[in-house]
């Protein structure tokens, strides 16, 4: 099936529609159109498709929707890495449902989200688009997004299938030096869960090659695994220009027609956003059954969406356009809840929450008064509006300075930028230092500005060569610390940065992963104590700028300082870490069975109690370790979690029901197996704080975990 990139006009729409058209690309998301203007353009383009094609079949309209509907004036929710910090699949599902309702009302049928890549190197620019570094966390929150979006009648598109996030040197589009075992155990489970548990209806291929085979031409990945093993029955769409890249970048195809033939044979059904490979050149070259296969899959989607119904009209498809408010109060309330639940208190120190009536607060840093720093690279204000500066942001985004002034009322809040996110201009240092010296407390707002292909410090094509704060921001913090004024460092970023040089010297540390349009108020609320922080790190915070490997999922020789290497991989803050303004205690570990067969199940129960004076949420985390296996295994791996709200003094039992399939791994012969032997069971509040430890032994023979293997660890929370 073909797609026309209507926004760019690279192929005239009438010409592209001559033999029928698969999809229309980003009618709303390529230029600053209002909802009404976009709806009128959808009607116009669908009318062209109907008039110019022989069979008069409408096109599917797709749009980006990673941080909300990527359209002018639409709510900008937190970036996906912030979803991970919530550890709350139900909240992500509610957000996605709201996004889907807005899109469906405007005649949009397919959303190009969620990103299910698992972070393998923090230097990669698209870390902000991912949900985190743990496959189980990514799988559950990603499945929640799929359920939410598709509940509104919008097809979710899983991307990037698969391996994109593990490129050599964290370089965008770079080759992935990954063996099949790592691919199967770390990368693929997120996609499998979204397909099997949430019913995802579309998949987008990765640009990258894995061990020399580009995903877009890999029948093992796109057909054998995706369809034959997992039972996927939807459509596979190419990432933009991934089909011609097989010829122009990967050099595995002789020309565009060869690239199209290889992609079609591998299992790609729709080429986006142009028809460079899936064009007339395939006539007489591609077997008819392959073309029929792709057309049948896509027409099935059109039928399910009602596009083939006798009464369908372009006008009727956007019937809700006049009533939709793309940044409604309900949307903003949901964006606020997402933001508040995603801000991570790394270390409260002796300063947070701030005194409700300090004499003066100095707010310093490049993220203090630039609202764009709260948004990811696929948010419309950063993705499209830099080309239209006269249009502003399209939505109201209070800055951190504005939010802090609103939060603290009559308190004097002064602001100095100090420096830009990137660049070498120190001319603002003196004023920033003077403001800090004259204040009771200084809030240093540092981090990223998202952009595309080098026009930012985070985002697609904005990779980093190390994990030092960009530009002069590290030097600015050093000068602020030297003033003697307590400095609260708030990092607003799309990736984790090394904070080891300032830890213990800063008065407090807060991490906010691009919290969206309501991020300013959420951060201010955490600093004041109005918002009780309960978020957890979906990635580690490195200690040093070159701190690699960048994920906790490592075998012993990669995860621990052991004297064999002078490099210490210990993070400053571990995966799953996050503090609160109350305290929690996790204890009373109970394991149902000392031994279970390799096809059995056991339960792990702990008691969590709020031992402080404020209500709050604790995320109880279950990790397992396979002590002896036929291949090296991680020293620990998240196997279950639950976000538990607790009143002061309240206690609840958290019970994890663990099927032995959840211990499966890919063995030496590349079969996924459950192996007998001892498992260490660990439960606590982060990968680095696991006070409850026990063991269970799997007995019997090695068992292959088949296509129906259990993917989820159910959790029950019971009040005591």
């Amino acid at each position: 099936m073909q797609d026309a990139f209507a926004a760019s006009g690279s192929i005239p729409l009438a010409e592209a529609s001559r033999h029928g058209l698969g999809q229309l690309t980003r009618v709303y998301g390529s230029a600053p159109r209002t909802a009404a203007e976009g709806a009128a353009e959808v009607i116009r383009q669908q009318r062209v498709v109907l008039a110019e094609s022989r069979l008069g079949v409408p096109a599917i309209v797709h749009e980006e929707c990673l941080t909300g509907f990527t359209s002018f004036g639409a709510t900008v929710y937190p970036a996906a890495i912030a979803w991970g910090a919530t550890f709350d699949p139900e909240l992500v599902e509610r957000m996605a449902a709201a996004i889907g309702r807005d899109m469906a009302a405007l005649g949009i049928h397919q959303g190009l989200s969620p990103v299910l890549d698992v972070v393998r190197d923090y230097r990669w620019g698209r870390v902000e688009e991912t949900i985190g570094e743990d496959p189980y966390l990514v799988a559950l929150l990603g499945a929640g997004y799929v359920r939410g979006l598709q509940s509104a009648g919008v097809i979710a598109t899983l991307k990037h299938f698969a391996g994109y996030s593990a490129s050599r040197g964290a370089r965008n589009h770079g080759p992935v030096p990954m063996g099949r075992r790592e691919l199967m155990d770390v990368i693929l489970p997120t996609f499998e869960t979204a397909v099997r548990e949430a019913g995802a209806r579309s998949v987008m291929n990765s640009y990258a090659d894995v061990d020399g085979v580009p995903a877009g031409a890999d029948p093992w990945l796109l057909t054998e695994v995706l369809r034959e093993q997992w039972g996927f029955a939807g459509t596979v769409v190419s990432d933009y220009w991934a089909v011609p890249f097989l010829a122009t970048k990967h050099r595995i195809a002789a020309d565009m027609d060869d690239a199209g033939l290889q992609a079609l044979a591998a299992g790609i059904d729709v080429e986006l956003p142009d028809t460079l490979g899936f064009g007339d050149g395939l006539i007489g070259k591609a077997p008819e059954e392959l073309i029929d296969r792709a057309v049948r899959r896509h027409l099935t989607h059109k039928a399910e969406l009602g596009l083939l119904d006798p009464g369908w009209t372009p006008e009727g498809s956007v019937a809700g356009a006049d009533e939709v408010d793309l940044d409604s109060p309900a949307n903003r309330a949901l964006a606020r809840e997402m933001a508040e639940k995603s801000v991570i208190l790394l270390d409260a120190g002796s300063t947070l929450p701030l005194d409700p009536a300090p004499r003066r607060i100095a707010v310093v840093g490049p993220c203090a008064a630039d609202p764009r720093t709260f948004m990811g690279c696929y948010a419309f204000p950063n993705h499209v509006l830099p080309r239209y500066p006269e249009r502003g942001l399209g939505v109201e985004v209070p800055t951190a300075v504005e939010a802090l002034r609103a939060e603290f009322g009559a308190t004097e809040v002064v602001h100095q930028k100090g420096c830009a996110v990137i660049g070498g201009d120190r001319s603002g240092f003196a004023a920033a230092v003077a403001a800090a010296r004259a204040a009771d407390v200084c809030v240093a707002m540092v981090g990223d500005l998202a952009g595309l292909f080098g026009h930012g410090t985070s985002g697609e094509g904005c990779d980093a060569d190390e994990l030092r704060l960009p530009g002069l921001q590290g030097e600015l913090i050093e000068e602020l610390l030297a003033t003697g004024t307590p400095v609260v460092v708030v990092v607003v970023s799309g990736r984790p940065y090394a904070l080891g040089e300032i830890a213990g010297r800063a008065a407090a540390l807060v991490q906010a992963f691009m919290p969206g349009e309501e991020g300013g108020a959420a951060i201010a609320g955490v600093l004041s104590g109005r918002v009780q922080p309960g978020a957890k790190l979906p990635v580690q915070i490195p200690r040093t700028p070159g701190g690699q490997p960048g994920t906790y999922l490592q075998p012993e020789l990669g995860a621990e300082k052991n004297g064999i290497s002078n490099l210490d991989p210990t993070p400053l803050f571990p995966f799953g870490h996050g503090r609160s303004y109350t305290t929690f205690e996790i204890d009373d570990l109970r394991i149902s069975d000392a031994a279970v067969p390799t096809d059995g199940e056991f339960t792990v129960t702990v008691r969590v109690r709020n031992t402080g004076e404020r209500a709050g949420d604790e995320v109880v985390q279950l990790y397992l370790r396979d002590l002896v296996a036929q291949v090296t295994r991680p020293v620990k791996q998240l196997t279950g979690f639950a976000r538990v709200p607790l009143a002061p003094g309240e206690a609840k039992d958290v019970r994890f029901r663990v099927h032995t399939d959840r211990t499966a791994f890919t063995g030496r012969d590349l079969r996924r197996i459950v192996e007998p032997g001892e498992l260490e069971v660990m439960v606590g509040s982060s990968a680095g704080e696991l006070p409850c430890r026990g063991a269970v032994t799997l007995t019997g023979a090695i068992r292959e975990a088949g296509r129906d293997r259990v993917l989820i660890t159910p959790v029950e929370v019971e009040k005591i």
Side-chain angles (χ1 to χ4, degrees):
M1 295 293 289
Q2 296 181 333
D3 167 86
F5 195 13
S8 72
S10 53
I11 299 176
L13 183 58
E15 179 184 335
S17 303
R18 194 157 39 95
H19 300 299
L21 191 67
Q23 300 205 7
L24 292 169
T25 292
R26 296 181 61 181
V27 176
Y28 294 87
S30 299
R33 296 186 172 106
T34 65
E37 291 167 343
E41 183 62 15
V42 167
I43 292 171
R44 186 192 72 80
Q45 293 190 22
Q46 290 282 29
R47 282 292 175 200
V48 172
V49 172
L50 294 175
E52 298 297 331
S53 59
R54 181 172 58 90
L55 297 177
V57 176
I60 284 177
V61 181
H62 75 251
E63 295 285 350
E64 298 283 359
C65 54
L66 184 60
T67 65
F69 176 23
T70 303
S71 177
F72 184 71
T75 304
V76 179
Y77 295 93
I81 192 69
W83 312 349
T86 71
F87 276 70
D88 193 335
E90 291 77 17
L91 177 58
V92 172
E93 183 173 343
R94 284 197 285 123
M95 176 195 70
I99 295 169
R101 287 192 294 269
D102 287 346
M103 296 173 72
L106 295 177
I108 298 160
H109 310 105
Q110 183 164 350
L112 304 187
S113 289
V115 171
L116 297 185
D117 298 307
V118 177
V119 175
R120 302 301 281 167
D121 190 324
Y122 305 143
R123 298 173 299 174
W124 191 48
R126 303 189 82 166
V127 165
E128 65 169 64
E129 298 180 49
T130 74
I131 299 172
E133 69 181 53
D134 180 84
Y136 190 61
L137 177 67
V138 175
L140 259 61
L141 272 66
Y145 186 98
V146 170
R147 281 191 291 268
L149 195 72
Q150 294 191 164
S151 72
V154 177
I155 295 170
T157 307
L158 313 181
K159 58 187 190 182
H160 307 86
F161 192 63
Y164 187 24
S165 57
S167 59
R168 182 179 284 116
R171 188 177 188 276
N172 194 43
H173 291 205
V176 176
M178 176 184 288
R180 187 158 287 187
R181 181 176 297 105
E182 184 179 356
L183 186 73
M184 293 172 69
D185 284 351
V186 178
I187 303 298
L188 295 186
T190 62
F191 295 93
E192 182 180 4
T193 302
V195 168
R196 289 183 47 207
E197 297 291 332
R201 298 169 65 198
S202 186
V203 170
M204 175 181 281
N205 75 288
S206 164
Y207 285 122
D209 74 79
V210 177
D211 196 23
V213 181
D218 188 354
W220 172 80
L221 184 68
L222 300 181
T223 297
E224 182 179 335
V225 171
L226 179 61
R227 295 189 183 276
E228 295 173 7
Q229 294 183 18
W230 299 349
F232 176 73
T235 56
V236 176
V237 301
S238 79
D239 206 341
Y240 286 10
W241 298 290
V243 173
F245 282 176
L246 298 176
T248 61
K249 302 297 182 184
H250 293 295
R251 302 289 181 180
I252 67 163
D255 51 31
M256 295 300 171
D257 295 341
D258 185 21
L261 181 58
Q262 290 193 43
L264 187 67
I268 290 180
D269 304 308
V270 182
E271 180 184 2
L272 303 182
D274 276 317
T275 55
L276 301 177
F278 283 20
D280 291 343
L282 289 184
I283 298 174
K285 296 179 182 178
E288 190 171 326
E289 61 268 20
L290 290 183
I291 296 175
D292 287 346
R293 181 179 74 177
V295 171
R296 185 181 302 110
R297 290 168 179 168
H298 208 44
L299 283 176
T300 298
H301 270 177
K302 292 188 176 186
E304 292 170 346
L305 291 163
L307 296 178
L308 305 186
D309 292 353
W312 186 92
T313 64
E315 292 78 8
S317 73
V318 295
D322 292 338
E323 299 178 4
V324 67
D325 178 356
L326 291 179
D327 194 29
S328 67
N331 282 6
R332 293 197 72 101
L334 187 52
R336 174 79 69 96
E337 184 180 358
M338 284 286 301
E340 290 179 349
K341 285 191 174 181
S342 72
V343 177
I344 305 158
L345 179 63
L346 298 175
D347 182 5
S350 59
T351 305
L352 292 183
L354 293 177
D355 186 320
R359 180 174 59 83
R360 177 179 291 186
I361 300 174
V363 188
V364 174
C367 297
D370 186 348
R372 296 174 301 161
T373 61
F374 290 161
M375 299 178 281
C377 79
Y378 269 81
F380 197 85
N382 285 338
H383 197 71
V384 175
L385 289 177
R387 303 195 302 272
Y388 304 89
E390 73 282 0
R391 301 301 296 270
L393 297 178
V395 290
E396 182 183 353
V397 188
T399 68
V401 174
E402 292 167 340
L404 284 165
R405 285 175 177 154
E407 189 76 27
F408 287 96
T411 298
E412 185 177 0
V413 176
V414 298
H415 166 246
Q416 290 292 335
K417 183 176 180 179
C419 66
V421 169
I422 194 168
D425 184 2
R426 291 178 171 80
S427 62
F429 272 34
V433 168
R437 187 173 287 118
D440 295 298
V441 65
C442 174
V443 177
M445 301 283 300
V446 296
D448 281 321
L449 176 60
L452 291 166
F453 305 111
H455 296 287
T457 59
S458 176
E460 185 173 4
C462 296
D463 310 316
D465 56 7
E466 64 171 8
L467 298 173
R468 199 181 308 274
L469 283 166
L472 299 176
Q473 295 179 87
E475 295 181 31
L476 175 62
I477 290 175
E478 286 294 334
E479 295 208 15
L480 296 175
L481 292 172
T483 64
T485 298
V487 178
V488 176
V489 177
V490 180
V491 182
V492 182
S493 64
R495 65 164 63 85
Y497 284 106
L499 302 177
E501 294 181 357
I502 63 174
R505 300 162 59 208
L509 292 173
V510 174
Q511 174 69 57
F513 287 115
M514 292 182 174
E517 69 182 27
E518 289 287 335
I523 293 169
V526 168
L527 296 185
S528 73
R530 173 179 55 82
V531 173
Q532 171 70 289
K536 299 286 187 174
L537 284 170
V539 289
Q540 300 182 125
I541 299 293
R543 190 174 299 275
T544 60
Q548 296 291 333
T551 166
Y552 87 100
L553 285 177
Q554 298 293 330
E556 186 170 326
L557 288 175
E560 299 177 358
K561 183 172 174 60
N562 48 28
I564 296 171
S565 170
N566 63 306
L567 299 179
D568 184 358
T570 307
L572 179 64
F573 296 105
F575 173 85
H577 170 84
R579 297 302 187 197
S580 175
Y581 294 139
T582 189
T583 55
F584 301 98
E585 185 177 89
I586 301 174
D587 59 11
D588 193 16
L589 174 69
R590 287 153 279 165
I591 302 174
S592 62
D593 301 274
V596 296
T598 53
D599 62 351
E601 182 179 283
F602 59 95
T603 63
V604 178
T605 305
V606 295
R607 183 159 295 173
V608 56
R609 186 184 304 276
N610 183 341
T611 55
E613 298 179 354
R614 289 189 56 175
D617 292 1
E618 177 62 294
V619 178
V620 180
Q621 302 165 43
L622 165 68
Y623 295 82
L624 296 180
R625 181 181 186 181
D626 193 341
L627 295 178
V628 178
Q630 63 179 254
V631 297
T632 57
R633 302 285 294 135
V635 295
K636 60 177 75 76
Q637 186 163 0
L638 185 69
T639 308
F641 64 87
R643 183 165 180 147
V644 183
L646 293 162
E650 185 179 20
K652 293 180 181 178
D653 275 355
V654 181
R655 182 177 299 107
F656 301 94
R657 195 168 78 244
V658 184
H659 193 281
T660 53
D661 282 355
R662 297 286 292 116
T663 73
F665 62 90
T666 303
R668 294 188 184 187
D669 60 1
L670 297 182
R671 292 184 306 126
R672 181 174 279 109
I673 60 171
V674 177
E675 193 176 46
E678 186 176 355
L679 299 171
E680 184 177 9
V681 177
M682 300 164 279
V683 186
S685 57
S686 77
E689 194 169 351
L690 298 166
C692 299
R693 292 176 180 258
V696 63
T697 299
L698 304 188
T699 62
I702 293 176
R703 179 178 65 86
E704 184 170 1
R707 299 176 183 180
D708 59 347
R709 69 188 178 106
V710 176
L711 299 171
I712 303 296
T713 301
V715 186
E716 299 168 357
V717 179
E718 180 181 353
K719 186 173 181 179
I720 304 304

